[in-house]
């Protein structure tokens, strides 16, 4: 007996089941591949010199495993005591911390400084080293020692006197000649007033994910919690691990809160208009399906999500729900089949989703990778949302309508189709439009702000702590970082010598106040090899040199540094038979070098600092255009972006406008409809500009893209109305009944989607959300209440 009553139906459902399973597998596979990158430079054009230079600096000289823990107290004594206690406590946590540095390593272990001293002396030119060798010869030693004693007696510099007392033979060059004089820099560990101290805390291991980073910071804060609770004591956390923890944790919150917030507001709006639970639950399910599939596709097609990508959730949901509203509103009056309902909705959804997706995909024309990623994510989401609503939600909602008795329209539905609503909305919107245009005339356009402020979080302990560090210690925010890149030490040294000549000339010409060049401690391979034989010869005379120094009146302690230098030379001469470049290796040496030099098998970098004269930055940057030497800082990055991004977005906007107008011309085939569309769009953009000016908002890197998005998203409302007017034979009342409620729902949801990211912690993302939210609200008002009268004026009824 055949137990299957409908084998044809089962055969038809099999491909659907296979397709659903395939879609589910691909979605899960894609989501599992998603990783998040919190590097803010990944949001910016990679071709810009400032982005390249800052990228090299941050990737190579920022310590991913080094946290700066600041201790601020009411007195220098209390601050020092608390810093010592915390350092000792952290050092007793070997499962959490690898090391804690609370003072210069050479103060903790003075003997370590001999290696760096030997290295600096060995880098002297062969001519200088030959003179040193001659001064230390048995014939000249006595005169050399006597000259040192006279220098100690006559010098007015305490630092030079102290150095000479431990360098009787003058092996080391002066601190001033190295650009490393103690007075030339502030301490890295304590402020001038002693009220702020820094502990450099190194994690036990490198972090492989941002979640590990967050967990380590949380454990560290828990460990020092007793001191954080003390009255009169303030602890702060900054450095690379703290920045990553702040940014990534707020990313998670921004994504989840904006998405959930948008879903809740959509539910409230739908319930207020229709008061039907099952369609609402189905709509919410469709939005979750859309979001999951989009993330799955993003994981398969995109390499990584950046911080800006987290804004896609709320925007995508707010836009995709538009198609669900349209399908549901049509189903309320539909009496035919599912295929007929889909056919009726297809034209409207195809045009609106097509222009919206085109607007977001057009962001790929931008050189800003962050905006490109946002465009790809939301563009994919819009297409997925349109397909889900047409293929899955349409049958569900029609089945629900057919199983229910027709209910009376809600109060909101009755209000929206009333003539009074149309008339009142017209006068209020007209008054608002006139007011905004008047404000634009009086106040002018908003200012532009391309400073790096839009790239940072709104709230961040790491940034706040860095601000206090800059105020109390050396403020490097206005300094320019000199970055030199090469394939080996010899190549970098040559570039550093060229850079030094350029910077010296710029100083003479008044462009810079001072500069600290890494050339002073950069290895000179040719000099090292030429000097090593003489250094070994000098080292073998260590005992006789000591005896001569003691005979001249120096103590044994005065010869300790010299003795260790000679031992280091002898060690290098013995172990450097291959002629490789010599670098110092102990902890004190690495501490001095780690901010100025980095050597890897594939890359060699040097870093210095330049203090420009105010207003001369552009003249300095023009001196370095070879692609391997950079002068960079965050303010200069903002200026470079301001020169590039606005022009680029204007070109993209012009191209997108032409595309939208062409598509609409094809759809409407009516010159007057095109005129209405263009006038409406221009009016919306002018009103948005006026509203931003009125609220003292500025154009920045991200919200400039609002114009692009409004061209594709906001214009959906005017397109829907124009298509409906064409289909209804210019009957405004019929169009009002058919679309006004749907457009109000769509505008509310889309504005909500953008609006919820207006409170995102990332300032650029928040600015984009606020601007687009306002723009969509203005677009809906003008399209609903000013476009129909404009259409009537251009298409008068013939009597």
């Amino acid at each position: 007996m055949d137990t299957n009553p409908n084998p044809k139906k089962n055969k038809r459902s099999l491909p659907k089941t296979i397709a659903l399973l395939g879609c589910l597998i691909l979605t899960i596979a894609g989501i599992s591949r998603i990783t998040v990158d919190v590097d803010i430079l990944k949001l910016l054009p990679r071709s810009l010199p400032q982005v390249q230079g800052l990228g090299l600096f941050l990737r190579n000289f920022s310590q991913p495993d080094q946290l700066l823990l600041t201790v601020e107290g009411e007195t220098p004594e209390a601050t020092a005591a608390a810093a010592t206690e915390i350092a000792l406590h952290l050092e007793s946590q070997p499962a959490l911390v690898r090391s804690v540095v609370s003072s210069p390593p050479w103060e903790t272990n003075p003997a370590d400084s001999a290696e760096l001293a030997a290295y600096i002396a060995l880098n002297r030119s062969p001519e200088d080293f030959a003179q040193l060798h001659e001064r230390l010869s048995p014939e000249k030693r006595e005169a050399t020692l006597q000259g040192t004693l006279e220098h100690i007696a006559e010098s007015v510099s305490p630092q030079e006197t102290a150095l000479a007392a431990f360098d009787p033979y003058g092996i080391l060059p002066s601190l001033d000649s190295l650009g490393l004089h103690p007075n030339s820099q502030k301490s890295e560990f304590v402020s001038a007033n002693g009220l702020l101290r820094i502990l450099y805390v190194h994690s036990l291991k490198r972090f492989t994910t941002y979640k590990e980073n967050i967990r380590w910071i949380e454990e560290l804060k828990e460990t020092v919690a007793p001191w954080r609770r003390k009255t009169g004591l303030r602890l702060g956390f900054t450095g690379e691990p703290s920045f990553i923890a702040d940014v990534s944790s707020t990313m998670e919150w921004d994504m989840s809160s904006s998405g959930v917030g948008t879903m809740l507001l959509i539910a409230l709006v739908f319930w207020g208009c229709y008061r039907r639970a099952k369609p609402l639950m189905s709509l919410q399910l469709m939005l979750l399906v859309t979001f999951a599939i989009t993330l799955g596709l993003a994981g398969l097609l995109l390499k990584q999500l950046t911080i800006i990508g987290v804004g896609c959730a709320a925007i995508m949901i707010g836009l995709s729900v538009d198609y669900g509203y349209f399908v549901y509103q049509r189903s309320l009056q539909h009496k035919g089949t599912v295929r007929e309902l889909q056919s009726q909705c297809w034209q409207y959804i195809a045009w609106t989703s097509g222009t919206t997706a085109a607007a977001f995909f057009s962001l790929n024309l931008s050189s800003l990778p962050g905006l490109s990623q946002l465009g790809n994510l939301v563009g994919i989401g819009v297409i997925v949302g349109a397909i889900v609503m047409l293929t899955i939600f349409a049958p569900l909602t029609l089945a629900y309508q057919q199983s229910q008795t027709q209910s009376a329209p809600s109060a909101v539905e009755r209000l929206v189709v009333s003539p009074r609503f149309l008339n009142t909305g017209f006068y209020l919107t007209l008054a608002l439009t006139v007011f905004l245009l008047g404000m634009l005339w009086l106040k002018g356009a908003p200012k532009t702000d391309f400073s790096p402020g839009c790239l940072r979080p709104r709230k961040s302990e790491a940034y706040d702590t860095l601000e206090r560090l800059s105020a109390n210690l050396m403020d490097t925010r206005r300094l320019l970082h000199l970055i030199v890149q090469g394939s080996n030490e010899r190549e970098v040294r040559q570039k550093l010598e060229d850079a030094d000549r350029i910077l010296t000339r710029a100083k003479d010409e008044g462009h810079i106040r001072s500069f600290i060049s890494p050339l002073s401690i950069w290895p000179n391979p040719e000099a090292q090899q030429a000097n090593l034989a003489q250094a070994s010869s000098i080292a073998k005379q260590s005992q006789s040199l000591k005896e001569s120094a003691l005979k001249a009146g120096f103590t044994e302690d005065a010869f300790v540094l010299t003795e260790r230098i000679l031992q280091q030379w002898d060690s290098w001469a013995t172990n450097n038979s291959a002629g490789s470049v010599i670098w110092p290796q102990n902890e004190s040496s690495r501490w001095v070098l780690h901010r100025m030099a980095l050597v890897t098998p594939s890359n060699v970098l040097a870093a210095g600092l330049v203090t420009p004269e105010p207003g001369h930055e552009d003249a300095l940057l023009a001196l370095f255009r070879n692609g391997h030497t950079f002068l960079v800082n965050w303010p200069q990055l903002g200026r470079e972006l301001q020169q590039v991004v606005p022009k680029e977005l204007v070109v993209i906007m012009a191209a997108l406008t032409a595309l939208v107008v062409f598509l609409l011309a094809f759809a409407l085939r009516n010159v007057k409809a095109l005129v209405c569309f263009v006038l409406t769009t221009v009016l919306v953009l002018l009103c948005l500009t006026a509203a931003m000016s009125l609220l003292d908002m500025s154009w920045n890197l991200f919200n400039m893209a609002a114009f692009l998005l409004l061209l594709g998203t906001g214009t959906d409302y005017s397109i829907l109305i124009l298509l409906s007017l064409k289909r209804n034979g210019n009957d405004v009342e019929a169009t009002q009944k058919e679309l006004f409620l749907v457009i109000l729902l769509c505008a509310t949801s889309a504005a909500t989607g953008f609006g919820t990211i207006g409170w995102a912690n990332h300032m650029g993302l928040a600015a984009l959300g606020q601007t687009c939210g306002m723009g969509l609200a203005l677009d809906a008002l003008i399209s609903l209440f000013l476009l129909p009268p404009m259409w009537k004026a251009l298409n008068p009824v013939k009597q």
Side-chain angles (χ1 to χ4, degrees):
M1 180 177 177
D2 190 358
T3 58
N4 189 347
N6 196 344
K8 291 184 178 180
K9 183 177 179 180
N10 284 347
K11 289 180 179 180
R12 288 196 301 268
S13 64
L14 182 60
K16 294 181 181 180
T17 303
I18 294 174
L20 287 173
L21 286 175
C23 185
L24 180 62
I25 292 170
L26 289 176
T27 299
I28 294 173
I31 292 176
S32 66
R33 284 166 48 92
I34 290 177
T35 58
V36 180
D37 194 330
V38 298
D39 183 358
I40 59 176
L41 290 178
K42 294 286 183 67
L43 308 177
L44 305 177
R46 298 183 182 90
S47 60
L48 299 183
Q50 288 293 315
V51 175
Q52 295 173 15
L54 279 171
L56 285 172
F57 177 75
L58 294 175
R59 285 194 303 272
N60 296 285
F61 293 101
S62 61
Q63 305 272 325
D65 61 341
Q66 178 180 276
L67 175 79
L68 278 64
L69 195 161
T70 62
V71 183
E72 297 179 75
E74 296 178 338
T75 65
E77 295 77 16
T79 304
T84 301
E85 291 175 3
I86 294 171
L88 291 173
H89 179 70
L90 290 176
E91 286 173 347
S92 68
Q93 307 290 323
L96 184 64
V97 173
R98 174 167 53 87
S99 64
V100 180
V101 182
S102 57
S103 61
W106 50 89
E107 290 184 3
T108 307
N109 191 0
D112 277 0
S113 60
E115 184 191 42
L116 184 61
Y119 166 77
I120 292 172
L122 192 66
N123 275 321
R124 285 181 167 186
S125 68
E127 295 77 16
D128 286 349
F129 206 88
Q131 292 177 9
L132 173 65
H133 186 267
E134 185 179 355
R135 291 201 312 271
L136 270 61
S137 65
E139 299 79 12
K140 298 290 183 70
R141 288 177 192 171
E142 185 175 345
T144 300
L145 291 167
Q146 189 60 38
T148 302
L149 290 171
E150 292 175 0
H151 177 68
I152 292 172
E154 297 172 359
S155 176
V156 296
S157 169
Q159 290 82 14
E160 292 291 347
T161 300
L163 178 63
F166 290 93
D167 184 24
Y169 289 103
I171 293 176
L172 292 176
S174 69
L175 294 174
D176 287 325
S177 69
L178 293 174
L180 299 173
H181 195 284
N183 290 336
S184 67
Q185 300 183 65
K186 295 185 179 180
S187 170
E188 293 181 84
F189 294 89
V190 59
S191 62
N193 59 14
L195 298 179
L196 183 146
R197 288 182 174 270
I198 303 177
L199 305 179
Y200 295 84
V201 183
H202 296 89
S203 63
L204 189 64
K205 62 177 184 177
R206 291 288 182 98
F207 306 113
T208 56
T209 67
Y210 72 90
K211 290 186 179 292
E212 289 182 2
N213 197 318
I214 294 173
R215 190 158 48 247
W216 182 71
I217 294 289
E218 290 175 347
E219 291 175 357
L220 195 68
K221 289 181 178 179
E222 182 63 29
T223 300
V224 298
W227 288 273
R228 299 186 78 185
R229 291 192 290 266
K230 283 188 177 182
T231 304
L233 198 64
R234 181 178 185 177
L235 303 189
F237 303 83
T238 190
E240 190 72 6
S242 188
F243 284 119
I244 292 174
D246 278 4
V247 171
S248 53
S249 61
T250 55
M251 278 171 54
E252 290 184 335
W253 169 252
D254 287 344
M255 174 176 267
S256 58
S257 62
S258 62
V260 171
T262 303
M263 294 280 285
L264 289 174
L265 287 171
I266 287 172
L268 290 174
V269 170
F270 188 93
W271 182 258
C273 290
Y274 297 111
R275 296 191 179 277
R276 295 174 175 91
K278 288 185 178 180
L280 173 58
M281 294 172 64
S282 298
L283 181 61
Q284 297 273 347
L285 179 61
M286 294 304 101
L287 295 177
L288 291 176
V289 169
T290 298
F291 182 55
I293 293 174
T294 302
L295 276 188
L297 290 173
L300 294 172
L301 301 176
L302 305 178
K303 292 182 179 179
Q304 282 183 320
L305 287 184
T306 62
I307 183 173
I308 204 72
V310 304
C312 73
I315 299 172
M316 186 195 319
I317 292 170
L319 296 177
S320 297
V321 76
D322 291 1
Y323 315 126
Y325 284 144
F326 188 81
V327 168
Y328 182 74
Q329 183 65 23
R330 275 302 181 89
S331 72
L332 293 178
Q333 289 84 32
H334 185 71
K335 302 300 181 183
T337 64
V338 171
R339 188 174 296 277
E340 289 171 342
L341 175 63
Q342 292 170 330
S343 178
Q344 289 179 15
C345 298
W346 164 250
Q347 182 185 17
Y348 291 92
I349 291 179
W351 282 110
T352 55
S353 64
T355 53
T356 299
F360 280 95
F361 285 135
S362 71
L363 295 180
N364 282 287
L365 299 174
S366 169
S367 61
L368 293 166
L371 286 180
S372 299
Q373 186 182 94
L374 179 69
N376 287 328
L377 282 167
V378 180
I380 292 171
V382 165
I383 293 174
V384 171
I387 294 172
V388 167
M389 295 304 174
L390 277 172
T391 58
I392 304 177
F393 184 62
L396 287 176
T397 189
L398 190 59
Y400 172 75
Q401 298 300 336
Q402 292 173 349
S403 65
Q404 299 291 319
T405 57
Q406 189 69 30
S407 59
S410 66
V412 175
E413 291 177 273
R414 293 194 301 271
L415 173 65
V416 169
V417 298
S418 66
R420 184 177 180 181
F421 177 78
L422 186 62
N423 291 332
T424 304
F426 168 75
Y427 287 113
L428 290 176
T429 304
L430 182 62
L432 176 63
T433 303
V434 172
F435 170 74
L436 288 175
L437 294 179
M439 288 295 101
L440 182 61
W441 177 266
L442 292 174
K443 294 196 65 173
K447 297 178 181 179
T448 56
D449 179 11
F450 283 80
S451 67
C454 68
L455 300 174
R456 60 161 289 178
R458 196 195 310 266
K459 296 178 181 178
S460 168
E461 182 181 14
Y463 277 95
D464 293 341
T465 302
L466 182 62
E467 293 287 337
R468 293 198 301 277
L469 276 180
S470 298
N472 288 280
L473 291 156
M474 186 176 184
D475 188 355
T476 61
R477 288 172 296 180
R478 294 292 172 183
L479 300 183
L480 291 166
H481 295 279
L482 173 69
I483 308 295
V484 178
Q485 182 183 29
S487 57
N488 55 57
E489 289 93 340
R490 289 176 173 81
E491 182 183 341
V492 169
R493 183 172 183 87
Q494 180 60 53
K495 292 175 181 177
L496 283 173
E497 290 172 352
D498 295 340
D500 262 37
R501 286 192 291 270
I502 294 172
L503 292 173
T504 301
R505 186 169 65 250
K507 184 178 180 182
D508 294 338
E509 294 172 355
H511 295 309
I512 63 175
R513 293 179 183 175
S514 62
F515 65 93
I516 299 175
S517 170
L519 183 63
S520 58
I521 60 168
W522 195 262
N524 186 339
E526 286 73 20
Q528 287 179 351
Q529 297 307 312
N531 296 335
L532 207 53
Q534 294 188 74
S536 178
S537 173
I538 295 171
K540 289 180 171 55
Q541 304 174 45
S542 176
Q543 186 60 35
S544 62
L545 288 169
K546 181 178 180 180
E547 292 172 357
S548 298
L550 293 174
K551 185 178 179 179
F554 288 91
T555 65
E556 287 200 15
D557 288 343
F559 192 73
V560 169
L561 177 62
T562 302
E563 188 173 35
R564 291 183 180 277
I565 289 173
L566 299 180
Q567 290 172 355
Q568 187 63 64
W569 282 350
D570 187 56
S571 174
W572 282 332
T574 304
N575 300 311
N576 196 254
S577 57
S580 58
V581 177
I582 294 172
W583 285 94
Q585 298 295 329
N586 67 30
E587 184 179 352
S588 294
S589 300
R590 289 198 302 270
W591 186 267
V592 173
L593 293 174
H594 82 278
R595 288 183 178 85
M596 304 180 76
L598 179 83
V599 179
T600 67
S602 60
N603 206 10
V604 179
L605 293 166
L609 283 175
V610 177
T611 306
E613 290 289 352
H616 289 255
E617 291 86 356
D618 288 342
L620 283 174
L621 297 181
L623 300 175
F624 297 96
R625 298 292 187 187
N626 60 14
H628 296 283
T629 303
F630 304 91
L631 279 177
V632 296
N633 66 6
W634 289 105
Q636 286 301 121
L637 172 62
R639 296 179 66 182
E640 194 169 60
L641 291 171
Q642 191 162 8
Q643 295 173 3
V644 174
V645 175
K647 298 176 184 177
E648 179 183 275
L649 289 179
V650 167
V651 172
I652 298 173
M653 186 173 175
L656 180 60
T657 302
L659 174 63
V660 172
V661 170
F662 172 78
L663 292 174
L664 198 58
F666 179 78
L668 296 174
R669 297 182 178 86
N670 187 309
V671 175
K672 293 179 180 179
L674 279 178
V675 170
C676 287
F677 171 78
V678 172
L679 289 176
T680 302
T681 304
V682 170
L683 203 55
V684 169
L685 297 180
L686 288 175
C687 287
L688 173 61
T689 304
M692 291 182 63
S693 181
L694 189 63
L695 296 173
D696 291 326
M697 296 173 64
S698 301
W699 290 116
N700 61 39
L701 279 173
F702 295 98
N703 66 2
M704 283 195 74
F707 271 19
L708 291 173
L709 303 182
L710 287 174
L711 276 174
T713 304
T715 52
D716 287 357
Y717 310 142
S718 53
I719 291 173
L720 282 172
I721 290 175
L722 290 170
L723 287 171
S724 179
L725 287 169
K726 178 184 177 183
R727 194 169 72 89
N728 291 318
N730 300 337
D731 187 339
V732 174
E733 287 72 19
T735 295
Q736 179 188 11
K737 292 179 181 180
E738 181 182 30
L739 286 178
F740 272 34
L741 179 60
V742 174
I743 290 177
L744 281 175
L745 291 171
C746 292
T748 302
S749 301
T752 297
F754 280 103
T756 53
I757 64 169
W759 285 270
N761 196 46
H762 185 271
M763 295 179 71
L765 194 59
L768 175 65
Q770 293 162 5
T771 307
C772 284
M774 283 195 307
L776 287 169
L778 289 168
D779 206 329
L781 289 173
I782 292 172
S783 297
L784 286 172
F785 299 113
L786 299 188
L787 177 56
M790 193 186 305
W791 176 266
K792 276 187 175 182
L794 291 175
N795 296 273
V797 179
K798 296 181 180 180
Q799 300 294 333

